[in-house]
Amino acid sequence: MRAVYYSSGNYEAFARPRKPAGVDGKRAWFVGSGLASLAGAAFLVRDGQLAGERITILEQQTLPGGALDGIKEPERGFVVRGGREMENHFECLWDLFRSVPSLEVEGASVLDEFYWLNKDDPNFSLQRVTHQQGRDAGTNGLFALGDRAQRDLVKVFLATREEMEDKRIDEVFGEEFLASNFWLYWRTMFAFEQWHSALEMKLYLHRFVHHIGGLPDFSALKFTKYNQYESLVLPLVKWLLEQGVVFQYGTEVTDVDFSFADGRKQATALHWVRDGEPGGVELTADDLLFTTIGSLTENSDNGDQRTPAKLKEGPAPAWDLWRRIAAKHPDFGRPDVFGSHIPQTKWESATVTTLDHRIPEYIQKVCKRDPFSGRVVTGGIVTVRDSSWLLSWTVNRQPHFKQQPKDQIVVWLYSLFVDVPGDYVKKPMQECTGEEITREWLYHLGVPVELIDRLAAESAKCVPVMMPYVTSFFMPRKAGDRPDVVPPGAVNFAFIGQFAEAGDRDCIFTTEYSVRTAMEAVYRLLGVERGVPEVFASTYDVRALLNATSRLRDGKPVDLPGPHALRKRLNARLETSEIGELLKEYNLLPE
């Protein structure tokens, strides 16, 4: 087994690894068919050169993709549980999709298609925040961070990981910060709550410091042409099937057996229930097992236009599997740190499909673009600042589904506070039908009150989705709560997905993290002689740090200390130095 190492630059990125020794005698098993498993199977084929027919993906549902979903349900309508925001420095994700053929453009990869799309139609928002029924909230792209809030940010940025372990965000940030535009942008973009992990907040700051300036208008983001299922999952699954990879649906994995001896850990058996019948397979040292642990979409429930989505707090198979595994060794993580706090980890989303041109007229007033243009519409979420639900909504490029009629618009919305009565519909979101959720959204969209009920009933169809565990990975945590991708001494198994601890400094709730854990797992277990792309090192780039500093100060220069004469002399010395040139470039020196 080769140690994983990280690399950057063309030398490693463009090199083809040699075929690992003994790979022809191995088989691979994946628990779950989310992005981590699909990526892992692809890396086994492409870089590990394992024959596709020797790879089996076990999935409880009847479709692959996990949280990367998007479907039209009979009677209910179009459904997406969530959206995926991407950026140019998702190094592992783009390394994967450079090898997956596009379903849209002949001779192109999924990466080519995505790259060209975002070159021709770059993403940015023209209206990030509203209030007072669809009016501009006047944030004007400013972060509005006072001196104390800026000090809080710097303190967290410079803190060690250990200092942030097991702490909540509101334990390390004061009220001034939590009242700022920055926190409004941040929490609604990433779905952070005040009680979530300060450590994860710190990791996000480091990971995306190069995009601080793009937070107010989403110019940092890039999106797929269609929903994530059709744009990412389907081409990847098609390519895997062409390589011979086996998908076994209707299969709930219930347990994994291990042997422990002399510091060596080996998975020895898989147990499952398939179509109601118990089954499984014995595993040898040549059987590689990749298990997705935990699940942010476990026990999701869909409502419809007339029915609220239910909050399911009963048995959760994905979490129960991790609990059984974790009980067998301390190195296998602590699932209850994440999966036993439904009041803190739940929120609700909804997919609204407009049925005629009446509602899109109001969408256009807010986003300032034609939603039927086929190009960027809102450019990311529009947050309703004075919404008691803290509601945000977005319209991606339309059609969002290939089978979507040309005169319909698919809107996705979500709320962080689902237990609080609404402003128009005086009920908590989690008690609302699709029609009632649409009414609340139309109210905040600026539809005249006398038209709201009629338009919600006649001009839209809405599918609400309640997700009990959707932010479970944001719960305060410490080292050891998430198991390493390949635990110490493991010889034939790995943990992948959002609840596995990747070796490099990445953050969760991204497509990148799922792919990174899969890449690390495959390269480690097979000994692939290629570096895993390191996380983009903007946190060590003085230019990125200076630019972020300038933007966080809303362009206000840094005041030099001391008397006026001394400040003048310091300015003069700085202006003739490389440091001064940098400070001037990022508007940090006073004129």
Side-chain angles (χ1 to χ4, degrees):
M1 187 183 295
R2 187 187 297 268
V4 167
Y5 65 97
Y6 303 94
S7 65
S8 62
N10 296 343
Y11 182 70
E12 290 276 352
F14 296 161
R16 271 194 317 126
R18 289 173 291 198
K19 190 172 185 176
V23 69
D24 289 337
K26 296 189 181 294
R27 295 189 62 87
W29 303 85
F30 286 88
V31 178
S33 70
L35 181 59
S37 288
L38 299 177
F43 292 135
L44 282 174
V45 172
R46 188 192 73 181
D47 300 330
Q49 298 166 66
L50 178 63
E53 59 268 18
R54 299 184 69 81
I55 302 170
T56 301
I57 297 177
L58 307 168
E59 172 54 52
Q60 178 191 25
Q61 305 296 321
T62 58
L63 287 173
L68 293 185
D69 62 352
I71 194 171
K72 183 178 183 181
E73 291 192 354
E75 305 304 319
R76 281 195 173 111
F78 294 109
V79 189
V80 283
R81 288 180 290 192
R84 295 296 174 268
E85 301 163 337
M86 288 169 281
E87 57 124 6
N88 47 333
H89 288 294
F90 277 8
E91 315 294 4
C92 297
L93 182 78
W94 305 133
D95 190 288
L96 167 67
F97 279 107
R98 69 181 170 86
S99 300
V100 178
S102 167
L103 299 182
E104 289 281 303
V105 184
E106 187 175 352
S109 68
V110 171
L111 174 57
D112 293 333
E113 172 197 329
F114 182 89
Y115 179 81
W116 297 334
L117 172 69
N118 284 279
K119 282 290 185 185
D120 293 340
D121 186 26
N123 189 80
F124 60 95
S125 167
L126 295 172
Q127 180 80 293
R128 175 64 180 88
V129 185
T130 63
H131 69 168
Q132 297 175 2
Q133 294 173 259
R135 293 180 175 88
D136 185 347
T139 54
N140 298 321
L142 301 177
F143 288 120
L145 290 164
D147 290 342
R148 183 172 179 180
Q150 291 177 41
R151 286 197 295 271
D152 286 348
L153 266 175
V154 171
K155 185 177 179 180
V156 170
F157 191 85
L158 295 178
T160 64
R161 288 180 65 127
E162 290 74 20
E163 288 173 324
M164 293 295 105
E165 287 187 342
D166 267 347
K167 285 190 169 64
R168 296 162 41 125
I169 287 170
D170 57 9
E171 290 180 305
V172 298
F173 288 102
E175 288 300 320
E176 182 181 293
F177 175 86
L178 296 173
S180 69
N181 290 345
F182 180 92
W183 176 239
L184 179 70
Y185 300 147
W186 188 274
R187 76 186 308 183
T188 53
M189 179 178 179
F190 297 122
F192 274 110
E193 303 274 20
Q194 292 175 210
W195 53 82
H196 283 155
S197 167
L199 172 58
E200 208 60 53
M201 177 83 176
K202 172 183 170 60
L203 292 177
Y204 263 71
L205 286 169
H206 286 276
R207 178 66 174 80
F208 298 116
V209 69
H210 55 289
H211 283 321
I212 291 292
L215 287 180
D217 67 355
F218 292 128
S219 55
L221 300 183
K222 292 173 172 57
F223 292 96
T224 53
K225 183 176 181 180
Y226 301 108
N227 62 83
Q228 58 220 355
Y229 181 75
E230 290 182 291
S231 287
L232 297 178
V233 173
L234 283 184
L236 181 51
V237 169
K238 181 176 184 293
W239 185 81
L240 291 172
L241 289 171
E242 289 170 352
Q243 311 312 306
V245 173
V246 178
F247 286 78
Q248 184 174 307
Y249 296 109
T251 303
E252 180 187 328
V253 174
T254 56
D255 207 354
V256 182
D257 294 341
F258 299 90
S259 66
F260 307 101
D262 302 321
R264 187 176 185 273
K265 302 181 181 73
Q266 181 181 323
T268 57
L270 261 178
H271 302 277
W272 64 61
V273 175
R274 184 182 187 189
D275 299 328
E277 295 295 324
V281 63
E282 299 293 318
L283 303 175
T284 70
D286 281 328
D287 285 287
L288 305 179
L289 174 63
F290 302 87
T291 303
T292 302
I293 51 173
S295 170
L296 73 158
T297 54
E298 183 80 346
N299 283 359
S300 297
D301 184 73
N302 292 357
D304 58 34
Q305 183 78 344
R306 302 277 181 252
T307 311
K310 299 183 185 67
L311 178 63
K312 293 184 176 180
E313 300 186 74
W319 289 96
D320 292 339
L321 172 61
W322 186 11
R323 291 185 179 103
R324 292 185 199 105
I325 290 172
K328 298 176 184 184
H329 200 283
D331 288 344
F332 295 170
R334 306 178 185 101
D336 285 337
V337 168
F338 309 99
S340 296
H341 308 278
I342 288 175
Q344 289 80 41
T345 64
K346 70 181 178 183
W347 50 252
E348 188 168 10
S349 71
T351 310
V352 178
T353 304
T354 68
L355 304 178
D356 55 43
H357 281 260
R358 286 181 286 179
I359 293 174
E361 293 174 6
Y362 294 96
I363 293 174
Q364 186 165 348
K365 285 181 181 178
V366 171
C367 72
K368 303 177 175 63
R369 293 186 177 110
D370 177 7
F372 294 101
S373 68
R375 298 174 65 83
V376 166
V377 184
T378 59
I381 56 171
V382 178
T383 294
V384 182
R385 180 171 221 159
D386 56 354
S387 163
S388 57
W389 292 354
L390 194 51
L391 183 152
S392 297
W393 59 275
T394 184
V395 178
N396 287 322
R397 297 180 182 98
Q398 302 293 307
H400 196 47
F401 289 81
K402 292 182 182 180
Q403 59 180 307
Q404 183 180 324
K406 291 182 179 180
D407 60 348
Q408 294 184 359
I409 298 293
V410 169
V411 184
W412 182 79
L413 61 87
Y414 91 104
S415 297
L416 284 177
F417 307 143
V418 299
D419 299 319
V420 180
D423 302 293
Y424 178 80
V425 177
K426 306 297 184 182
K427 295 167 62 175
M429 185 180 185
Q430 70 177 33
E431 296 176 11
C432 287
T433 65
E435 184 175 331
E436 289 169 330
I437 290 170
T438 304
R439 288 179 197 158
E440 185 75 8
W441 171 60
L442 293 178
Y443 173 77
H444 288 296
L445 188 62
V447 173
V449 172
E450 64 272 16
L451 299 179
I452 288 175
D453 291 0
R454 182 175 177 182
L455 290 186
E458 299 175 357
S459 296
K461 183 180 284 190
C462 176
V463 183
V465 183
M466 172 58 77
M467 292 170 280
Y469 304 100
V470 70
T471 58
S472 49
F473 38 46
F474 280 166
M475 293 304 293
R477 61 179 173 86
K478 62 181 181 299
D481 290 341
R482 303 191 309 199
D484 289 346
V485 168
V486 179
V491 296
N492 72 334
F493 68 93
F495 299 118
I496 57 176
Q498 300 289 316
F499 296 93
E501 188 74 54
D504 205 7
R505 48 192 165 74
D506 214 340
C507 58
I508 44 78
F509 212 175
T510 65
T511 48
E512 171 72 357
Y513 197 84
S514 292
V515 177
R516 178 173 294 280
T517 60
M519 198 179 210
E520 288 189 7
V522 168
Y523 282 25
R524 177 83 182 274
L525 292 183
L526 270 189
V528 174
E529 55 176 16
R530 182 174 185 258
V532 174
E534 73 167 352
V535 173
F536 184 56
S538 54
T539 190
Y540 306 120
D541 187 329
V542 66
R543 297 163 302 177
L545 296 176
L546 290 174
N547 189 48
T549 300
S550 176
R551 293 306 303 268
L552 289 170
R553 293 176 59 81
D554 291 329
K556 181 184 177 184
V558 175
D559 291 324
L560 295 174
H564 175 72
L566 178 59
R567 293 201 307 269
K568 191 173 179 181
R569 288 180 62 189
L570 283 172
N571 269 333
R573 292 291 299 272
L574 283 171
E575 285 177 356
T576 58
S577 70
E578 291 284 350
I579 295 173
E581 287 296 320
L582 274 173
L583 293 174
K584 196 186 289 185
E585 180 180 347
Y586 295 106
N587 301 313
L588 290 170
L589 268 186
E591 295 294 333

